[in-house]
Short mmCIF file of all heavy atoms in Angstrom, two decimals:
data_model
loop_
_atom_site.label_atom_id
_atom_site.label_comp_id
_atom_site.label_asym_id
_atom_site.label_seq_id
_atom_site.Cartn_x
_atom_site.Cartn_y
_atom_site.Cartn_z
N MET A 145 -29.68 26.88 84.11
CA MET A 145 -28.77 26.08 83.20
C MET A 145 -27.41 26.18 83.90
O MET A 145 -26.82 27.22 84.38
CB MET A 145 -28.77 26.64 81.88
CG MET A 145 -27.79 26.00 80.88
SD MET A 145 -27.85 26.63 79.33
CE MET A 145 -29.36 26.08 78.73
N THR A 146 -26.77 25.12 84.08
CA THR A 146 -25.43 25.12 84.73
C THR A 146 -24.35 25.58 83.72
O THR A 146 -24.57 25.55 82.53
CB THR A 146 -25.05 23.67 85.23
OG1 THR A 146 -25.07 22.73 84.18
CG2 THR A 146 -26.23 23.17 86.29
N ASP A 147 -23.23 25.82 84.27
CA ASP A 147 -22.04 26.26 83.38
C ASP A 147 -21.69 25.14 82.53
O ASP A 147 -21.35 25.34 81.25
CB ASP A 147 -20.86 26.66 84.30
CG ASP A 147 -21.25 27.86 85.06
OD1 ASP A 147 -22.24 28.56 84.72
OD2 ASP A 147 -20.37 28.20 86.07
N ASN A 148 -21.57 23.95 82.94
CA ASN A 148 -21.20 22.77 82.04
C ASN A 148 -22.19 22.58 80.91
O ASN A 148 -21.67 22.22 79.81
CB ASN A 148 -21.16 21.50 82.81
CG ASN A 148 -19.88 21.56 83.79
OD1 ASN A 148 -18.91 22.39 83.57
ND2 ASN A 148 -19.99 20.89 84.94
N LYS A 149 -23.46 22.64 81.08
CA LYS A 149 -24.35 22.48 79.99
C LYS A 149 -24.22 23.71 79.13
O LYS A 149 -24.37 23.47 77.78
CB LYS A 149 -25.83 22.55 80.55
CG LYS A 149 -26.12 21.26 81.28
CD LYS A 149 -27.69 21.22 81.68
CE LYS A 149 -27.96 19.99 82.33
NZ LYS A 149 -29.49 19.89 82.74
N LEU A 150 -24.01 24.83 79.46
CA LEU A 150 -23.85 26.04 78.55
C LEU A 150 -22.51 25.86 77.79
O LEU A 150 -22.71 26.10 76.55
CB LEU A 150 -23.69 27.26 79.35
CG LEU A 150 -23.57 28.57 78.57
CD1 LEU A 150 -24.72 28.86 77.64
CD2 LEU A 150 -23.27 29.75 79.47
N ILE A 151 -21.48 25.40 78.30
CA ILE A 151 -20.27 25.00 77.65
C ILE A 151 -20.54 24.00 76.52
O ILE A 151 -20.07 24.19 75.47
CB ILE A 151 -19.27 24.75 78.49
CG1 ILE A 151 -18.66 25.98 79.29
CG2 ILE A 151 -17.93 24.23 77.83
CD1 ILE A 151 -17.73 25.75 80.38
N LEU A 152 -21.22 23.03 76.92
CA LEU A 152 -21.50 21.86 75.93
C LEU A 152 -22.44 22.45 74.79
O LEU A 152 -22.21 22.10 73.59
CB LEU A 152 -22.32 20.77 76.66
CG LEU A 152 -22.64 19.58 75.80
CD1 LEU A 152 -21.36 18.94 75.29
CD2 LEU A 152 -23.45 18.66 76.53
N ILE A 153 -23.36 23.28 75.06
CA ILE A 153 -24.17 23.80 74.03
C ILE A 153 -23.32 24.69 73.06
O ILE A 153 -23.43 24.61 71.82
CB ILE A 153 -25.38 24.58 74.52
CG1 ILE A 153 -26.37 23.59 75.31
CG2 ILE A 153 -26.09 25.48 73.53
CD1 ILE A 153 -27.48 24.21 76.02
N LEU A 154 -22.46 25.46 73.62
CA LEU A 154 -21.60 26.37 72.75
C LEU A 154 -20.76 25.49 71.96
O LEU A 154 -20.48 25.82 70.89
CB LEU A 154 -20.87 27.40 73.73
CG LEU A 154 -21.59 28.40 74.30
CD1 LEU A 154 -20.80 29.22 75.39
CD2 LEU A 154 -22.24 29.45 73.35
N LYS A 155 -20.05 24.50 72.48
CA LYS A 155 -19.25 23.63 71.74
C LYS A 155 -19.98 22.98 70.69
O LYS A 155 -19.35 22.81 69.46
CB LYS A 155 -18.64 22.56 72.61
CG LYS A 155 -17.60 23.03 73.49
CD LYS A 155 -16.92 21.89 74.36
CE LYS A 155 -15.79 22.34 75.25
NZ LYS A 155 -15.26 21.30 76.13
N CYS A 156 -21.27 22.57 70.83
CA CYS A 156 -21.96 21.93 69.81
C CYS A 156 -22.19 22.93 68.66
O CYS A 156 -22.16 22.59 67.49
CB CYS A 156 -23.33 21.33 70.34
SG CYS A 156 -22.98 19.87 71.31
N CYS A 157 -22.62 24.05 69.05
CA CYS A 157 -22.90 25.16 68.02
C CYS A 157 -21.64 25.40 67.25
O CYS A 157 -21.71 25.67 66.07
CB CYS A 157 -23.45 26.43 68.71
SG CYS A 157 -25.05 26.42 69.13
N ILE A 158 -20.55 25.63 67.92
CA ILE A 158 -19.25 25.83 67.17
C ILE A 158 -19.01 24.68 66.23
O ILE A 158 -18.64 24.90 64.98
CB ILE A 158 -18.19 26.00 68.23
CG1 ILE A 158 -18.40 27.28 68.98
CG2 ILE A 158 -16.80 26.17 67.57
CD1 ILE A 158 -17.56 27.48 70.21
N ALA A 159 -19.07 23.48 66.65
CA ALA A 159 -18.79 22.31 65.78
C ALA A 159 -19.75 22.24 64.65
O ALA A 159 -19.23 22.09 63.49
CB ALA A 159 -18.79 21.05 66.59
N VAL A 160 -21.03 22.44 64.79
CA VAL A 160 -21.98 22.42 63.69
C VAL A 160 -21.59 23.59 62.67
O VAL A 160 -21.75 23.51 61.46
CB VAL A 160 -23.37 22.46 64.23
CG1 VAL A 160 -24.38 22.80 63.15
CG2 VAL A 160 -23.74 21.28 64.96
N GLY A 161 -21.33 24.78 63.23
CA GLY A 161 -20.96 25.90 62.39
C GLY A 161 -19.78 25.63 61.59
O GLY A 161 -19.84 25.99 60.34
N ILE A 162 -18.74 25.16 62.09
CA ILE A 162 -17.47 24.89 61.35
C ILE A 162 -17.73 23.74 60.37
O ILE A 162 -17.19 23.99 59.17
CB ILE A 162 -16.43 24.53 62.33
CG1 ILE A 162 -15.86 25.81 63.12
CG2 ILE A 162 -15.18 24.03 61.53
CD1 ILE A 162 -14.88 25.58 64.10
N SER A 163 -18.64 22.81 60.64
CA SER A 163 -19.01 21.73 59.69
C SER A 163 -19.65 22.26 58.56
O SER A 163 -19.46 21.93 57.32
CB SER A 163 -19.71 20.62 60.37
OG SER A 163 -19.00 20.09 61.46
N LEU A 164 -20.59 23.24 58.78
CA LEU A 164 -21.37 23.82 57.67
C LEU A 164 -20.46 24.71 56.79
O LEU A 164 -20.63 24.76 55.60
CB LEU A 164 -22.63 24.62 58.25
CG LEU A 164 -23.72 23.86 58.66
CD1 LEU A 164 -24.91 24.74 59.33
CD2 LEU A 164 -24.44 23.11 57.53
N ILE A 165 -19.59 25.42 57.31
CA ILE A 165 -18.60 26.20 56.56
C ILE A 165 -17.81 25.30 55.62
O ILE A 165 -17.76 25.45 54.49
CB ILE A 165 -17.72 27.05 57.54
CG1 ILE A 165 -18.49 28.12 58.08
CG2 ILE A 165 -16.55 27.59 56.66
CD1 ILE A 165 -17.84 28.85 59.28
N LEU A 166 -17.32 24.18 56.26
CA LEU A 166 -16.58 23.24 55.44
C LEU A 166 -17.38 22.59 54.26
O LEU A 166 -16.87 22.35 53.20
CB LEU A 166 -15.90 22.21 56.30
CG LEU A 166 -14.83 22.75 57.24
CD1 LEU A 166 -14.34 21.63 58.18
CD2 LEU A 166 -13.66 23.29 56.32
N LEU A 167 -18.64 22.22 54.74
CA LEU A 167 -19.58 21.67 53.69
C LEU A 167 -19.83 22.67 52.61
O LEU A 167 -19.80 22.32 51.39
CB LEU A 167 -20.93 21.26 54.37
CG LEU A 167 -21.98 20.64 53.49
CD1 LEU A 167 -21.49 19.33 52.90
CD2 LEU A 167 -23.32 20.50 54.20
N GLY A 168 -20.07 23.97 52.85
CA GLY A 168 -20.21 24.89 51.80
C GLY A 168 -19.05 25.11 50.89
O GLY A 168 -19.25 25.29 49.67
N VAL A 169 -17.83 25.16 51.59
CA VAL A 169 -16.62 25.16 50.74
C VAL A 169 -16.53 23.87 49.87
O VAL A 169 -16.21 24.10 48.65
CB VAL A 169 -15.38 25.42 51.67
CG1 VAL A 169 -14.11 25.13 50.91
CG2 VAL A 169 -15.46 26.69 52.34
N TYR A 170 -16.86 22.79 50.39
CA TYR A 170 -16.76 21.58 49.65
C TYR A 170 -17.79 21.68 48.41
O TYR A 170 -17.40 21.31 47.19
CB TYR A 170 -17.03 20.30 50.46
CG TYR A 170 -17.38 19.05 49.66
CD1 TYR A 170 -16.28 18.37 49.01
CD2 TYR A 170 -18.59 18.59 49.43
CE1 TYR A 170 -16.51 17.27 48.26
CE2 TYR A 170 -18.85 17.42 48.62
CZ TYR A 170 -17.91 16.82 48.09
OH TYR A 170 -18.07 15.73 47.31
N PHE A 171 -18.99 22.05 48.70
CA PHE A 171 -19.98 22.08 47.59
C PHE A 171 -19.48 23.19 46.50
O PHE A 171 -19.67 22.84 45.38
CB PHE A 171 -21.27 22.69 48.23
CG PHE A 171 -22.19 21.81 48.84
CD1 PHE A 171 -23.23 22.21 49.71
CD2 PHE A 171 -22.01 20.36 48.61
CE1 PHE A 171 -24.03 21.17 50.27
CE2 PHE A 171 -22.83 19.46 49.31
CZ PHE A 171 -23.76 19.81 50.10
N HIS A 172 -18.89 24.24 46.99
CA HIS A 172 -18.52 25.36 46.00
C HIS A 172 -17.37 24.93 45.15
O HIS A 172 -17.31 25.29 43.91
CB HIS A 172 -18.23 26.66 46.70
CG HIS A 172 -18.00 27.81 45.82
ND1 HIS A 172 -19.11 28.36 45.13
CD2 HIS A 172 -16.88 28.46 45.51
CE1 HIS A 172 -18.49 29.35 44.50
NE2 HIS A 172 -17.28 29.34 44.69
N ASN A 173 -16.45 24.26 45.76
CA ASN A 173 -15.10 23.92 45.05
C ASN A 173 -15.11 22.49 44.36
O ASN A 173 -14.50 22.31 43.38
CB ASN A 173 -13.95 24.10 45.91
CG ASN A 173 -13.71 25.50 46.35
OD1 ASN A 173 -13.94 26.32 45.51
ND2 ASN A 173 -13.16 25.76 47.51
N PHE A 174 -15.78 21.53 45.01
CA PHE A 174 -15.52 20.15 44.57
C PHE A 174 -16.69 19.29 44.13
O PHE A 174 -16.47 18.22 43.60
CB PHE A 174 -14.72 19.27 45.73
CG PHE A 174 -13.47 20.05 46.29
CD1 PHE A 174 -13.44 20.56 47.48
CD2 PHE A 174 -12.30 20.09 45.39
CE1 PHE A 174 -12.23 21.13 47.84
CE2 PHE A 174 -11.26 20.73 45.84
CZ PHE A 174 -11.27 21.21 47.04
N ASN A 175 -17.90 19.78 44.38
CA ASN A 175 -19.10 18.96 44.12
C ASN A 175 -19.52 19.30 42.67
O ASN A 175 -19.85 20.49 42.46
CB ASN A 175 -20.16 19.21 45.02
CG ASN A 175 -21.27 18.10 45.09
OD1 ASN A 175 -21.48 17.54 44.08
ND2 ASN A 175 -21.83 17.90 46.29
N GLU A 176 -19.56 18.22 41.81
CA GLU A 176 -20.00 18.57 40.46
C GLU A 176 -21.50 18.72 40.31
O GLU A 176 -21.96 19.47 39.49
CB GLU A 176 -19.53 17.35 39.57
CG GLU A 176 -18.04 17.27 39.46
CD GLU A 176 -17.63 16.13 38.63
OE1 GLU A 176 -18.42 15.42 38.01
OE2 GLU A 176 -16.43 15.84 38.60
N ALA A 177 -22.38 18.13 41.20
CA ALA A 177 -23.79 18.28 41.15
C ALA A 177 -24.15 19.72 41.42
O ALA A 177 -25.15 20.24 40.83
CB ALA A 177 -24.36 17.32 42.20
N ILE A 178 -23.39 20.21 42.43
CA ILE A 178 -23.75 21.65 42.72
C ILE A 178 -23.38 22.60 41.64
O ILE A 178 -24.08 23.58 41.30
CB ILE A 178 -23.09 22.06 44.14
CG1 ILE A 178 -23.70 21.25 45.34
CG2 ILE A 178 -23.19 23.53 44.38
CD1 ILE A 178 -25.15 21.48 45.69
N GLU A 179 -22.31 22.21 41.03
CA GLU A 179 -21.79 23.02 39.88
C GLU A 179 -22.70 23.00 38.75
O GLU A 179 -22.99 23.95 38.07
CB GLU A 179 -20.39 22.54 39.51
CG GLU A 179 -19.77 23.34 38.43
CD GLU A 179 -18.38 22.78 37.93
OE1 GLU A 179 -17.90 22.05 38.78
OE2 GLU A 179 -18.03 23.07 36.89
N ALA A 180 -23.40 21.85 38.48
CA ALA A 180 -24.30 21.63 37.35
C ALA A 180 -25.61 22.39 37.64
O ALA A 180 -26.25 22.77 36.62
CB ALA A 180 -24.57 20.16 37.14
N MET A 181 -26.01 22.64 38.96
CA MET A 181 -27.18 23.56 39.23
C MET A 181 -27.00 24.93 38.85
O MET A 181 -28.07 25.63 38.66
CB MET A 181 -27.43 23.34 40.70
CG MET A 181 -27.88 22.04 41.23
SD MET A 181 -28.02 22.05 42.87
CE MET A 181 -29.43 20.99 43.14
N GLY A 182 -25.92 25.49 38.67
CA GLY A 182 -25.69 26.79 38.32
C GLY A 182 -25.85 27.75 39.45
O GLY A 182 -25.25 27.58 40.44
N VAL A 183 -26.75 28.79 39.36
CA VAL A 183 -26.90 29.72 40.20
C VAL A 183 -27.51 29.15 41.58
O VAL A 183 -27.21 29.50 42.67
CB VAL A 183 -27.85 30.95 39.79
CG1 VAL A 183 -28.19 31.94 40.87
CG2 VAL A 183 -27.26 31.64 38.57
N LYS A 184 -28.53 28.20 41.42
CA LYS A 184 -29.10 27.59 42.65
C LYS A 184 -28.01 26.87 43.43
O LYS A 184 -28.08 26.90 44.66
CB LYS A 184 -30.12 26.53 42.10
CG LYS A 184 -31.40 27.24 41.65
CD LYS A 184 -32.48 26.24 41.34
CE LYS A 184 -33.65 27.00 40.81
NZ LYS A 184 -34.82 26.07 40.35
N GLY A 185 -26.99 26.19 42.73
CA GLY A 185 -25.95 25.59 43.48
C GLY A 185 -25.05 26.60 44.27
O GLY A 185 -24.61 26.13 45.35
N ILE A 186 -24.85 27.65 43.55
CA ILE A 186 -24.02 28.73 44.29
C ILE A 186 -24.86 29.16 45.52
O ILE A 186 -24.22 29.57 46.65
CB ILE A 186 -23.76 29.88 43.40
CG1 ILE A 186 -22.74 29.38 42.23
CG2 ILE A 186 -23.07 31.03 44.15
CD1 ILE A 186 -22.67 30.42 41.19
N ILE A 187 -26.11 29.37 45.44
CA ILE A 187 -26.95 29.86 46.54
C ILE A 187 -27.01 28.69 47.59
O ILE A 187 -26.82 29.08 48.84
CB ILE A 187 -28.41 30.15 46.07
CG1 ILE A 187 -28.43 31.41 45.23
CG2 ILE A 187 -29.28 30.27 47.22
CD1 ILE A 187 -29.72 31.62 44.49
N ILE A 188 -26.92 27.48 47.33
CA ILE A 188 -26.98 26.42 48.27
C ILE A 188 -25.64 26.41 49.04
O ILE A 188 -25.50 26.39 50.38
CB ILE A 188 -27.19 25.03 47.75
CG1 ILE A 188 -28.66 24.93 47.19
CG2 ILE A 188 -26.85 23.91 48.68
CD1 ILE A 188 -28.93 23.76 46.32
N SER A 189 -24.52 26.49 48.37
CA SER A 189 -23.12 26.56 48.99
C SER A 189 -23.08 27.90 49.88
O SER A 189 -22.56 27.83 50.99
CB SER A 189 -22.04 26.41 48.02
OG SER A 189 -22.00 27.57 47.18
N ALA A 190 -23.64 29.01 49.43
CA ALA A 190 -23.49 30.19 50.11
C ALA A 190 -24.39 30.13 51.37
O ALA A 190 -23.90 30.77 52.49
CB ALA A 190 -23.98 31.39 49.26
N VAL A 191 -25.54 29.54 51.31
CA VAL A 191 -26.35 29.41 52.54
C VAL A 191 -25.72 28.53 53.59
O VAL A 191 -25.73 28.76 54.84
CB VAL A 191 -27.80 28.90 52.14
CG1 VAL A 191 -28.59 28.32 53.32
CG2 VAL A 191 -28.53 29.83 51.36
N CYS A 192 -25.09 27.57 53.13
CA CYS A 192 -24.30 26.62 54.10
C CYS A 192 -23.21 27.48 54.78
O CYS A 192 -23.00 27.29 56.08
CB CYS A 192 -23.60 25.44 53.39
SG CYS A 192 -24.85 24.20 52.89
N VAL A 193 -22.43 28.22 54.11
CA VAL A 193 -21.44 29.08 54.59
C VAL A 193 -21.99 30.04 55.65
O VAL A 193 -21.60 30.32 56.67
CB VAL A 193 -20.53 29.66 53.62
CG1 VAL A 193 -19.55 30.70 54.22
CG2 VAL A 193 -19.81 28.56 52.77
N ALA A 194 -23.04 30.74 55.13
CA ALA A 194 -23.60 31.75 55.98
C ALA A 194 -24.18 31.20 57.34
O ALA A 194 -24.09 31.93 58.34
CB ALA A 194 -24.85 32.48 55.09
N PHE A 195 -24.99 30.13 57.33
CA PHE A 195 -25.47 29.64 58.54
C PHE A 195 -24.29 29.10 59.38
O PHE A 195 -24.34 29.09 60.55
CB PHE A 195 -26.51 28.40 58.29
CG PHE A 195 -27.84 28.93 57.97
CD1 PHE A 195 -28.44 28.47 56.79
CD2 PHE A 195 -28.54 29.72 58.74
CE1 PHE A 195 -29.69 28.82 56.42
CE2 PHE A 195 -29.76 30.14 58.52
CZ PHE A 195 -30.44 29.81 57.32
N GLY A 196 -23.26 28.52 58.74
CA GLY A 196 -22.01 28.04 59.54
C GLY A 196 -21.39 29.25 60.24
O GLY A 196 -20.98 29.12 61.36
N MET A 197 -21.27 30.30 59.60
CA MET A 197 -20.69 31.49 60.19
C MET A 197 -21.57 31.96 61.31
O MET A 197 -21.12 32.41 62.40
CB MET A 197 -20.39 32.63 59.13
CG MET A 197 -19.30 32.18 58.30
SD MET A 197 -18.96 33.49 57.01
CE MET A 197 -17.87 34.45 57.98
N ALA A 198 -22.91 31.92 61.15
CA ALA A 198 -23.83 32.38 62.21
C ALA A 198 -23.67 31.53 63.47
O ALA A 198 -23.78 31.91 64.52
CB ALA A 198 -25.25 32.47 61.69
N LEU A 199 -23.54 30.19 63.07
CA LEU A 199 -23.45 29.24 64.23
C LEU A 199 -22.08 29.29 64.93
O LEU A 199 -21.92 28.80 66.11
CB LEU A 199 -23.72 27.83 63.72
CG LEU A 199 -25.30 27.57 63.56
CD1 LEU A 199 -25.51 26.21 62.99
CD2 LEU A 199 -25.99 27.64 64.90
N SER A 200 -21.07 29.70 64.24
CA SER A 200 -19.76 29.65 64.82
C SER A 200 -19.53 30.99 65.56
O SER A 200 -18.45 31.19 66.20
CB SER A 200 -18.70 29.56 63.81
OG SER A 200 -18.61 30.66 62.86
N LEU A 201 -20.48 31.97 65.63
CA LEU A 201 -20.28 33.14 66.36
C LEU A 201 -20.20 32.99 67.81
O LEU A 201 -19.46 33.61 68.46
CB LEU A 201 -21.50 34.08 66.06
CG LEU A 201 -21.46 34.84 64.81
CD1 LEU A 201 -22.70 35.66 64.55
CD2 LEU A 201 -20.33 35.73 64.74
N PRO A 202 -20.78 31.88 68.52
CA PRO A 202 -20.60 31.74 69.94
C PRO A 202 -19.18 31.42 70.45
O PRO A 202 -18.84 31.32 71.56
CB PRO A 202 -21.47 30.60 70.26
CG PRO A 202 -22.46 30.55 69.22
CD PRO A 202 -21.83 31.00 68.01
N THR A 203 -18.27 31.43 69.44
CA THR A 203 -16.77 31.13 69.86
C THR A 203 -16.38 32.21 70.82
O THR A 203 -15.55 31.91 71.81
CB THR A 203 -15.80 30.98 68.67
OG1 THR A 203 -16.09 32.06 67.83
CG2 THR A 203 -16.19 29.67 67.90
N LYS A 204 -16.76 33.46 70.47
CA LYS A 204 -16.24 34.58 71.27
C LYS A 204 -16.88 34.46 72.61
O LYS A 204 -16.21 34.68 73.67
CB LYS A 204 -16.62 35.98 70.62
CG LYS A 204 -16.08 37.13 71.23
CD LYS A 204 -16.48 38.29 70.40
CE LYS A 204 -15.20 38.85 69.71
NZ LYS A 204 -15.39 40.07 69.05
N MET A 205 -18.13 34.10 72.72
CA MET A 205 -18.76 34.00 74.09
C MET A 205 -18.07 32.77 74.88
O MET A 205 -17.86 32.92 76.14
CB MET A 205 -20.24 33.48 73.84
CG MET A 205 -21.08 34.69 73.47
SD MET A 205 -22.80 34.30 73.20
CE MET A 205 -23.16 32.76 73.94
N TYR A 206 -17.80 31.66 74.14
CA TYR A 206 -17.18 30.65 74.89
C TYR A 206 -15.83 30.99 75.39
O TYR A 206 -15.42 30.64 76.48
CB TYR A 206 -17.10 29.46 73.88
CG TYR A 206 -16.24 28.30 74.31
CD1 TYR A 206 -16.70 27.36 75.29
CD2 TYR A 206 -14.93 27.99 73.80
CE1 TYR A 206 -16.05 26.44 75.88
CE2 TYR A 206 -14.29 26.91 74.24
CZ TYR A 206 -14.72 26.00 75.14
OH TYR A 206 -14.03 25.06 75.72
N LEU A 207 -15.01 31.58 74.60
CA LEU A 207 -13.64 32.07 75.02
C LEU A 207 -13.77 32.96 76.10
O LEU A 207 -12.91 32.94 77.14
CB LEU A 207 -12.95 32.64 73.88
CG LEU A 207 -12.46 31.78 72.76
CD1 LEU A 207 -11.87 32.37 71.66
CD2 LEU A 207 -11.54 30.61 73.28
N THR A 208 -14.71 33.86 76.13
CA THR A 208 -14.81 34.87 77.19
C THR A 208 -15.33 34.15 78.47
O THR A 208 -14.77 34.44 79.55
CB THR A 208 -15.90 35.89 76.87
OG1 THR A 208 -15.47 36.62 75.63
CG2 THR A 208 -16.10 36.93 77.95
N PHE A 209 -16.16 33.17 78.39
CA PHE A 209 -16.66 32.47 79.54
C PHE A 209 -15.53 31.68 80.06
O PHE A 209 -15.37 31.58 81.32
CB PHE A 209 -17.70 31.51 79.17
CG PHE A 209 -18.48 30.78 80.13
CD1 PHE A 209 -19.36 31.46 80.96
CD2 PHE A 209 -18.23 29.42 80.42
CE1 PHE A 209 -19.92 30.85 81.96
CE2 PHE A 209 -18.95 28.91 81.49
CZ PHE A 209 -19.76 29.58 82.27
N ILE A 210 -14.60 31.08 79.24
CA ILE A 210 -13.46 30.28 79.87
C ILE A 210 -12.54 31.18 80.65
O ILE A 210 -11.92 30.90 81.67
CB ILE A 210 -12.69 29.51 78.62
CG1 ILE A 210 -13.66 28.39 78.11
CG2 ILE A 210 -11.47 28.92 79.12
CD1 ILE A 210 -14.02 27.27 79.07
N LEU A 211 -12.16 32.44 79.92
CA LEU A 211 -11.26 33.31 80.55
C LEU A 211 -11.83 33.83 81.95
O LEU A 211 -11.07 33.97 82.95
CB LEU A 211 -11.06 34.50 79.60
CG LEU A 211 -10.15 34.16 78.43
CD1 LEU A 211 -10.03 35.36 77.56
CD2 LEU A 211 -8.80 33.75 78.81
N VAL A 212 -13.09 34.15 81.95
CA VAL A 212 -13.67 34.63 83.28
C VAL A 212 -13.72 33.56 84.38
O VAL A 212 -13.47 33.77 85.41
CB VAL A 212 -15.17 35.09 82.93
CG1 VAL A 212 -15.87 35.28 84.24
CG2 VAL A 212 -15.15 36.35 82.16
N LYS A 213 -13.95 32.29 83.78
CA LYS A 213 -13.94 31.14 84.78
C LYS A 213 -12.41 30.91 85.31
O LYS A 213 -12.29 30.65 86.53
CB LYS A 213 -14.40 29.96 84.05
CG LYS A 213 -14.64 28.78 85.01
CD LYS A 213 -15.30 27.60 84.15
CE LYS A 213 -15.48 26.36 85.04
NZ LYS A 213 -16.24 25.34 84.33
N ARG A 214 -11.45 31.05 84.50
CA ARG A 214 -10.02 30.94 84.90
C ARG A 214 -9.64 32.06 85.85
O ARG A 214 -8.93 31.78 86.94
CB ARG A 214 -9.04 30.94 83.73
CG ARG A 214 -9.03 29.59 83.00
CD ARG A 214 -7.96 29.63 82.02
NE ARG A 214 -8.08 28.33 81.20
CZ ARG A 214 -7.31 28.23 80.10
NH1 ARG A 214 -6.58 29.18 79.58
NH2 ARG A 214 -7.55 27.16 79.47
N GLU A 215 -10.02 33.17 85.59
CA GLU A 215 -9.74 34.39 86.44
C GLU A 215 -10.39 34.22 87.76
O GLU A 215 -9.82 34.55 88.78
CB GLU A 215 -10.29 35.68 85.82
CG GLU A 215 -9.81 36.91 86.45
CD GLU A 215 -10.15 38.19 85.85
OE1 GLU A 215 -10.17 38.11 84.62
OE2 GLU A 215 -10.66 39.10 86.49
N SER A 216 -11.66 33.73 87.80
CA SER A 216 -12.31 33.58 89.16
C SER A 216 -11.63 32.42 89.97
O SER A 216 -11.58 32.45 91.14
CB SER A 216 -13.76 33.24 89.04
OG SER A 216 -14.06 32.05 88.33
N GLU A 217 -11.15 31.38 89.29
CA GLU A 217 -10.38 30.34 89.97
C GLU A 217 -9.09 30.78 90.49
O GLU A 217 -8.59 30.36 91.59
CB GLU A 217 -10.20 29.01 88.98
CG GLU A 217 -11.46 28.44 88.72
CD GLU A 217 -11.22 27.34 87.64
OE1 GLU A 217 -10.10 27.10 87.14
OE2 GLU A 217 -12.23 26.58 87.41
N LYS A 218 -8.45 31.69 89.82
CA LYS A 218 -7.11 32.23 90.41
C LYS A 218 -7.42 33.17 91.64
O LYS A 218 -6.56 33.07 92.45
CB LYS A 218 -6.40 33.07 89.28
CG LYS A 218 -5.77 32.32 88.16
CD LYS A 218 -5.20 33.23 87.16
CE LYS A 218 -4.50 32.35 86.05
NZ LYS A 218 -3.82 33.22 85.07
N THR A 219 -8.48 33.87 91.68
CA THR A 219 -8.65 34.80 92.83
C THR A 219 -9.02 33.84 94.08
O THR A 219 -9.04 34.35 95.20
CB THR A 219 -9.70 35.72 92.56
OG1 THR A 219 -10.98 35.11 92.18
CG2 THR A 219 -9.31 36.65 91.46
N ASN A 220 -9.64 32.69 93.81
CA ASN A 220 -10.04 31.90 94.92
C ASN A 220 -8.92 31.10 95.53
O ASN A 220 -7.96 30.79 95.65
CB ASN A 220 -11.17 30.86 94.61
CG ASN A 220 -12.43 31.63 94.18
OD1 ASN A 220 -12.54 32.73 94.82
ND2 ASN A 220 -13.18 31.11 93.43
#
């Protein structure tokens, strides 16, 4: 796998993760259908936020990868 493909995959994971977090917050705060579901609605919004946070974890890997790449370019 090339570096550009890895960066693209990490960016996609980060974008999907942040989107899921925002969707979970929207469900929890603004969606009346989820509110009407009661506990099941809270679980749905919590699952969205949890999966979003899990998918946004590669941000640290992405930032480290970018910093290492910049450092190697400076030495060359």
